[in-house]
Amino acid sequence: MPRIRIRVPIDPYVAALLGTVALAALLPARGQAATVAGGASTGAVALLFFLYGARLSTREAMDGLRHWRLHLTVLGCTFVLFPLLGIAARSLVPVVLTPQLYSGLLFLCLVPSTIQSSIAFTSIARGNVAAAVCAGSFSSIVGIALTPLLAALLLGNSGGGFSSRSLLSIVLQLLVPFLAGQLLRRRVGGFLTQHKKVLGYVDRGSILLVVYTAFSAGMVRGIWHEVTPLRLLALLGVEAALLGLMLTVTTFGSRRLGFSREDGLAIVFCGSKKSLAAGLPMAGVLFGAEASLAVLPLMLFHQMQLMVGAVLAKRHGRRAVAQEPAVVAAPVRT
């Protein structure tokens, strides 16, 4: 019997993030260097959300409104069910999770769904790719405003504090650049398309700068002494349970709601994912000096969802191929 090999992906970008964390641990920014890094990080976040706004096609998203039931289901999973599970995890403090790790876990439950990996996995599984594109876009657009509001409501002062100054930072660093990108999309869209690869490095480099600044602040403040290997293992266990529960709910829930197999796969891969690219810069704005512990659960969950999603997508794809009717060639007349 042939041996089936499933290659589990280790995201190179996650490896770069871990390398950035190690750099911050060895050479954290202090004094004037921390001030410069903080200013550069603020500018990087604004640039990121400008690019997000300029890339998202609101017209394409509106064209997908005919799948409104699917989109509402994904939004409900992302911004209702996930936060409810995050609130329920409060019972794990302090026996399983520290208050700081729990804040990061709850923040993870509030960020929007990812777009790229959701589309890729839906395509591999032979699901409704167009619906995945629209659902991911809707989630990103809604999350720009809803994630900070939910964080202010549910996290309170357990994060960096949500004063009027914090709300002003959210508006200036997130909403204003995003809206500016949407308004200028027609003018800069061609440039962004022509230089897509280069701007991809800008995206990743900006997020790495945000992570370095956050973890440097955490090292200087000494908050990493509060995280033990046992606590990290406990966090991984909680996140594995969270992901497993969301995959189960989206799988069986989509069937109960009468969605087709293709639409159901889009719901599974969009409704169970969380965006690292959107969540990291948001955490830097929302949590300030406490952002290092806040982003740790999101980084771990991101790699976990990639590994599990790749296995599930390949399994669904093979099953779809096996169920396709065989094509019988017509006889050739001579």
Side-chain angles (χ1 to χ4, degrees), residues 12-23:
Y13 189 50
V14 172
L17 288 170
L18 294 177
T20 303
V21 172
L23 177 63

Side-chain angles (χ1 to χ4, degrees), residues 244-268:
L245 183 57
M246 288 302 303
L247 287 170
T248 301
V249 169
T250 52
T251 299
F252 292 100
S254 61
R255 295 175 186 172
R256 293 283 294 180
L257 292 173
F259 287 101
S260 66
R261 173 193 173 274
E262 291 76 13
D263 288 349
L265 288 172
I267 292 172
V268 169

